[in-house]
Amino acid sequence: MSRESDQLIIRKTEARDGPRAWQLVKDTGVLDLNSAYAYIVLCDYFSDTCAIAEEAGKAVGFVSAFRDPRDPSVLFIWQVAVDAARRGEGIAYRMIRHVLRRASCRGVRTIELTIAPTNRASQGLFRKLARALGCDVQVGRGYEAAMFPGDAHEDEDFYRIGPLP
Ligand SMILES: CC(C)(COP(=O)(O)OP(=O)(O)OC[C@H]1O[C@@H](n2cnc3c(N)ncnc32)[C@H](O)[C@@H]1OP(=O)(O)O)[C@@H](O)C(=O)NCCC(=O)NCCS
């Protein structure tokens, strides 16, 4: 746990954070919303690589991530959501740095993720992270829109950030 200010706390998730993570993701209106069960499992079994930011008991940020089971030197960052009223305060950036600093991320050399081409905030966030870590950013083809059922999903470009110091 780290107390970021008098009020803001960033910490590992617990199962009981799942419903609040679900709500934060739902409220973004842009992220793919998974089931509440999925967030409960993420917050429980993947707590070592997920983080929640809370203030006075209210969740204001959530990041989900996991180490690639095929190559644990890769951290895949899945979803990042910050309460709309609290954006631009560095909460997303600090949550990710919090995860990377943990003993559970020792040995992580590469960050991978996907970002929709129109998501400028997310692109800015991860480019800032790469600059701070002194890493290169490679962008390639990720999951194409055609892979998703229906026609309501954009492409997801693939980002690789590394090598981490
Ligand atoms: C993307 C998101 C998580 C960023 O959260 P945040 O807490 O506001 O981000 P931070 O304050 O930590 O910003 C870190 C950096 O990201 C970049 N950034 C953040 N918001 C930005 C925006 N709207 N436009 C461009 N760059 C932006 C900036 O470089 C910023 O650093 P700076 O303030 O020093 O310039 C937030 O906008 C969000 O929840 N969006 C909806 C969900 C989403 O798109 N999630 C990401 C995809 S998984």
Side-chain angles (χ1 to χ4, degrees):
M1 186 176 92
S2 84
R3 195 168 288 274
E4 299 285 322
S5 67
D6 280 352
Q7 290 89 26
L8 189 75
I9 289 169
I10 296 178
R11 58 167 174 79
K12 288 186 180 184
T13 53
E14 300 169 22
R16 67 181 170 88
D17 295 316
R20 299 194 296 165
W22 178 88
Q23 190 68 52
L24 277 167
V25 170
K26 182 170 190 277
D27 289 346
T28 67
V30 296
L31 296 181
D32 286 334
L33 183 64
N34 301 295
S35 69
Y37 182 84
Y39 292 99
I40 292 168
V41 168
L42 268 174
C43 287
D44 192 4
Y45 284 78
F46 295 85
S47 61
D48 277 348
T49 45
C50 293
I52 195 132
E54 64 180 4
E55 200 170 73
K58 180 182 189 291
V60 295
F62 170 66
V63 57
S64 56
F66 57 86
R67 292 180 80 157
D68 182 345
R70 301 162 299 186
D71 176 1
S73 74
V74 174
L75 181 75
F76 182 83
I77 299 185
W78 189 350
Q79 289 187 314
V80 191
V82 171
D83 184 333
R86 303 299 307 273
R87 292 186 189 158
E89 296 179 26
I91 293 176
Y93 181 77
R94 284 180 281 163
M95 287 193 299
I96 296 167
R97 295 301 301 247
H98 190 275
V99 169
L100 290 172
R101 274 199 308 271
R102 294 177 189 165
S104 48
C105 279
R106 208 166 285 147
V108 169
R109 292 286 165 261
T110 310
I111 294 169
E112 293 182 353
L113 61 140
T114 70
I115 307 180
T118 56
N119 195 335
R120 301 281 171 232
S122 190
Q123 290 160 21
L125 168 65
F126 285 100
R127 288 199 181 274
K128 175 179 175 173
L129 180 72
R131 277 196 306 278
L133 294 169
C135 293
D136 294 328
V137 183
Q138 291 172 268
V139 183
R141 284 171 67 171
Y143 304 125
E144 292 170 19
M147 290 178 73
F148 296 91
D151 55 3
H153 208 292
E154 282 185 86
D155 287 334
E156 289 280 340
D157 293 335
F158 176 73
Y159 282 66
R160 178 180 284 127
I161 297 170
L164 267 65

